[in-house]
Amino acid sequence: MKKTRALIAAILCLAMIFLTGCSSADSTAEVPERNDYEYIFVHGLSGWGSYDKAYKYFPYWGTSHGDLMEYLRGEGFSCHAASVDPVGSAWDRACELYAQLTGSVVDYGKEHSERCGHERFGTDYSKNPLIADWSAGKKIVLLGHSFGGATIRMFSEILANGSAAEQAATSPEDLSDYFRGGQGDRIHALITLAAPTNGTTAYDLFSDKDFDPDSVSVPRSDQWLAKLFELRDQGSPDSRVETDYADYDMHIDNAQELNKHISTLPNTYYFAVPCSATRKAEDGTQRPVRFKMEGMFRRTSALMGAYTGVTDGGFVLDETWQENDGLVNTVSAGAPIGAPTAEYPAENYITGAWYVMPIYYGDHMSIQGGMTKRNEVRPYYLDLLNLIDSLPAK
């Protein structure tokens, strides 16, 4: 099923070339002077980036209105779209991101690769790094959509604090600098976009024996395509253990266990953008807003909007978890539970605390640019990056 999702994503890319039009940014205006930050955009589950051929024809960032990276570069921001494993764990994707930024061979770590049943080393990016000469003095801004949010948070944790497990299992001369840590000050800001930071009931509801998905009324027109995207665990397609996939990391209990091992860095700015495309129905459940939500998300959205329960770990999923964007619960896309937070907006933004920004009203793909529900996101990202650019470096 995991491979199937990646195939579906590729098919959708080709299909949407014919369903939507793309336009280039207008570069005739004078470009304002910016700080020397590198903006790194990381896609979500089944996504793609600039290393993938599909991006040229159907950019993940910008989708129906053209490449967002190109537009933001025209506005003076140095922006890059990373390409990480479409279905891999937050750990594996973080290691791939590090290699792309440093122009090196992907090192998944000796301890991790042996425990998870895959090769230690991966793609060599020495000839085509994502950014040129990423030195200690060049700060980056990380933006992650959907599971890209978990990816960039894991990346920041290892970059700052290293990995005790890798240090213990690897000889010093064979240990990647990444797993040594001590590089957290390279990150200026981190922004999650519609991210399942605290997990998503889109996975848990299917494994809850006390919940019957067929008990929720869903129009037939929303059912046939949605069946392709149901987020059920289907087993490992290769030698990797089940815990080394995004599927595992996005279950509520597993996501919150992951959060225990990811810290909020003291010198980094944090922002979270939740999405929502449901409204409260007369029976108290949340129902998808049809004109806001892609058809392939509406069945899952309706199920999430009707679901309450308790996880195996004892976490209570009450009515506050019902509002959603079709794949992620709106409440989950805020700050990590237990992390320090601050009120948004602020006169003076501080580092080391999460700002939960106003809900972006649209489905899970709206903040990318939408597909059949075309959405112009360029003004939103221009305002967001202007805010990040204005924050003093720490």
Side-chain angles (χ1 to χ4, degrees), residues 73-323:
R73 288 178 198 130
E75 293 293 334
F77 297 103
S78 183
C79 296
H80 315 271
S83 298
V84 290
D85 189 335
V87 298
S89 64
W91 176 282
D92 284 359
R93 289 159 59 100
C95 294
E96 291 160 2
L97 179 59
Y98 181 78
Q100 290 174 20
L101 290 173
T102 56
S104 59
V105 176
V106 178
D107 184 351
Y108 297 107
K110 183 177 186 294
E111 189 278 335
H112 175 87
S113 58
E114 290 177 355
R115 173 170 49 84
C116 293
H118 62 74
E119 295 293 330
R120 174 179 171 181
F121 298 104
T123 304
D124 183 355
Y125 292 99
S126 59
K127 294 183 178 179
N128 57 339
L130 199 60
I131 58 178
D133 188 26
W134 185 36
S135 61
K138 183 178 289 187
K139 285 184 175 285
I140 60 174
V141 176
L142 298 165
L143 300 96
H145 173 246
S146 191
F147 195 64
T151 305
I152 61 176
R153 290 173 53 240
M154 176 63 78
F155 170 85
S156 70
E157 172 64 25
I158 302 173
L159 192 72
N161 299 316
S163 168
E166 294 302 334
Q167 293 169 17
T170 316
S171 61
E173 63 273 11
D174 192 31
L175 183 69
S176 167
D177 287 342
Y178 185 40
F179 301 128
R180 299 180 196 277
Q183 305 180 71
D185 287 346
R186 291 189 179 201
I187 304 173
H188 175 60
L190 185 152
I191 304 102
T192 60
L193 306 159
T197 299
N198 299 292
T200 172
T201 58
Y203 286 85
D204 284 63
L205 66 86
F206 286 115
S207 58
D208 188 340
K209 296 178 181 178
D210 294 326
F211 180 74
D212 179 13
D214 293 331
S215 68
V216 180
S217 175
V218 178
R220 287 187 179 182
S221 59
D222 293 344
Q223 293 185 25
W224 69 272
L225 184 58
K227 287 287 185 180
L228 296 174
F229 291 88
E230 283 185 355
L231 303 180
R232 301 175 188 266
D233 294 324
Q234 298 293 323
S236 176
D238 54 33
S239 62
R240 282 183 285 178
V241 297
E242 285 296 313
T243 58
D244 204 28
Y245 287 97
D247 281 1
Y248 179 87
D249 285 341
M250 285 194 284
H251 280 277
I252 302 292
D253 288 339
N254 300 336
Q256 302 207 27
E257 181 63 29
L258 193 69
N259 288 345
K260 295 177 183 178
H261 304 284
I262 300 178
S263 56
T264 303
L265 305 183
N267 294 325
T268 296
Y269 296 97
Y270 289 87
F271 296 88
V273 182
C275 289
S276 174
T278 61
R279 65 164 60 102
K280 197 170 186 177
E282 291 183 1
D283 63 359
T285 64
Q286 291 278 337
R287 300 292 294 185
V289 179
R290 296 187 68 83
F291 74 90
K292 283 280 188 182
M293 188 174 291
E294 298 285 352
M296 61 186 175
F297 297 146
R298 289 199 290 260
R299 180 173 185 267
T300 299
S301 176
L303 299 181
M304 295 171 68
Y307 179 69
T308 57
V310 180
T311 69
D312 291 341
F315 188 85
V316 177
L317 299 161
D318 59 17
E319 290 79 3
T320 62
W321 281 74
Q322 291 180 336
E323 184 178 5

